[in-house]
Amino acid sequence: MNEQASSALRGLTLRHLQCFATLARERHFGRAAGLLSITQPALSNAIKQMEHLIGARLLQRSTHQVELTPIGAAVLERAGFLVHTVDLALQDIAGVVQRGRAVVRVGVVPSASGLLAQAIRGFIDSAPGEVEFEVRDRPSNALIDALRAGELDVAVAAVTQPPSGLSCVELFDDPLVLVVPRDHALARAGSATWRAIAQAQLVLFSSGSMPALAGPASAQFGRIAHTPYRVDYAETLYAFVRGGLALGLMPRLYTTSLVGTDLVVLPLRRPVIQRRVALLYRPGRLRNAVAQAFIEHLRRQLADQPQAA
């Protein structure tokens, strides 16, 4: 970047970035202006100023639509991160000033929420009154997006490979297992193979890590006779199994919260297919030292979980 262009970019303000990020999210000048508590002409002027300073068109405008240009999409990724970081930093300052506590923002896949709760409890007990947590439970892809946008400090997520642009500390493997009624013939065998379930009706999750795991398992799924049911929640999956509609296919970590004795969890072998549960965070300095200390605490507490072996 030449010196003149660099100098122009230094004219960008946080308000420019807030206006652009809000308009890019809403894709409507009226709604964006209302959220920003400014007039539409003021918003339009801010976007024009930003485009002039950057030296490129960020938006394609029409009567009924606002669309990002390719450069606009690239700028939005950086602008959104800066806006989220500043907004959360201001909230952190308010928390310290008003309540004397640092805030740590954590994301977790639902299946690991029990492990995270235990880790948070231990951390709070070691630093009473000094920290508060905001927790977001989402599928792994949503947590990764939130980390990249600066909305979270750290996440416990399921991955098949380390996501680009994030620090990744692999914690433990979480294999796929089969959930069957206790009176099912496979329950008496104590384990199952892909060949043994080739003619069975299965039910599995439609999102999260399951779509990524379907790649390595594609050869096995290709021999399964019936198209699996796809559901979003563990309770629904268990209900299908209890109702005799299907056998459940899911990561083992979900089964740690399984209640009742009417269902049995079986190892699924030949081949063993598994996801990796990992600790993810943005490289570099975090917003506060407490968040960094909590990451180290999570590394110690969650590594090599025996129930996921």
Side-chain angles (χ1 to χ4, degrees), residues 26-267:
E26 297 297 323
R27 304 297 174 95
H28 188 278
F29 273 89
R31 289 195 300 270
L35 290 171
L36 293 162
S37 300
I38 60 176
T39 64
Q40 289 189 48
L43 174 57
S44 180
N45 187 52
I47 298 300
K48 289 177 181 178
Q49 289 176 0
M50 187 171 175
E51 290 178 326
H52 175 73
L53 291 169
I54 289 175
R57 179 66 65 86
L58 302 176
L59 300 166
Q60 294 287 354
R61 305 164 179 82
S62 66
T63 305
H64 302 291
Q65 201 168 4
V66 176
E67 295 292 339
L68 290 169
T69 66
I71 292 178
V75 171
L76 176 62
E77 183 178 350
R78 282 78 175 175
F81 172 73
L82 289 172
V83 169
H84 285 307
T85 298
V86 171
D87 286 347
L88 294 180
L90 292 175
Q91 293 177 30
D92 289 347
I93 292 171
V96 171
V97 171
Q98 296 170 8
R99 299 184 298 279
R101 296 178 182 176
V103 179
V104 179
R105 296 170 178 86
V106 187
V108 63
V109 287
S111 57
S113 58
L115 299 176
L116 178 68
Q118 294 173 20
I120 288 177
R121 179 72 268 169
F123 192 79
I124 290 175
D125 289 344
S126 68
E130 297 179 10
V131 60
E132 60 185 65
F133 287 88
E134 293 181 6
V135 178
R136 182 180 301 185
D137 55 333
R138 298 286 189 276
S140 294
N141 55 350
L143 297 178
I144 290 170
D145 290 343
L147 278 170
R148 288 174 173 155
E151 298 171 14
L152 296 173
D153 296 310
V154 60
V156 179
V159 299
T160 54
Q161 59 184 6
S164 62
L166 297 175
S167 296
C168 178
V169 179
E170 297 181 347
L171 298 172
F172 55 86
D173 293 326
D174 188 23
L176 292 185
V177 295
L178 195 69
V179 180
V180 304
R182 182 166 292 279
D183 59 359
H184 194 278
L186 287 173
R188 293 189 290 274
S191 66
T193 65
W194 290 95
R195 178 171 294 181
I197 63 173
Q199 299 300 316
Q201 175 67 60
L202 299 178
V203 56
L204 57 140
F205 294 131
S206 60
S207 61
S209 58
M210 287 303 296
L213 290 173
S218 59
Q220 312 304 324
F221 277 107
R223 292 199 292 270
I224 289 178
H226 307 288
T227 301
Y229 292 113
R230 296 184 180 271
V231 299
D232 291 328
Y233 301 101
E235 292 87 349
T236 310
L237 187 149
Y238 294 144
F240 274 49
V241 177
R242 288 188 172 103
L245 288 173
L247 305 182
L249 184 63
M250 66 196 311
R252 182 173 179 175
L253 194 56
Y254 274 94
T255 66
T256 58
S257 60
L258 180 59
V259 177
T261 60
D262 56 333
L263 300 181
V264 175
V265 179
L266 302 177

Side-chain angles (χ1 to χ4, degrees), residues 16-31:
H16 285 130
L17 301 178
Q18 289 171 328
C19 288
F20 175 60
T22 303
L23 180 57
R25 183 181 69 245
E26 297 297 323
R27 304 297 174 95
H28 188 278
F29 273 89
R31 289 195 300 270

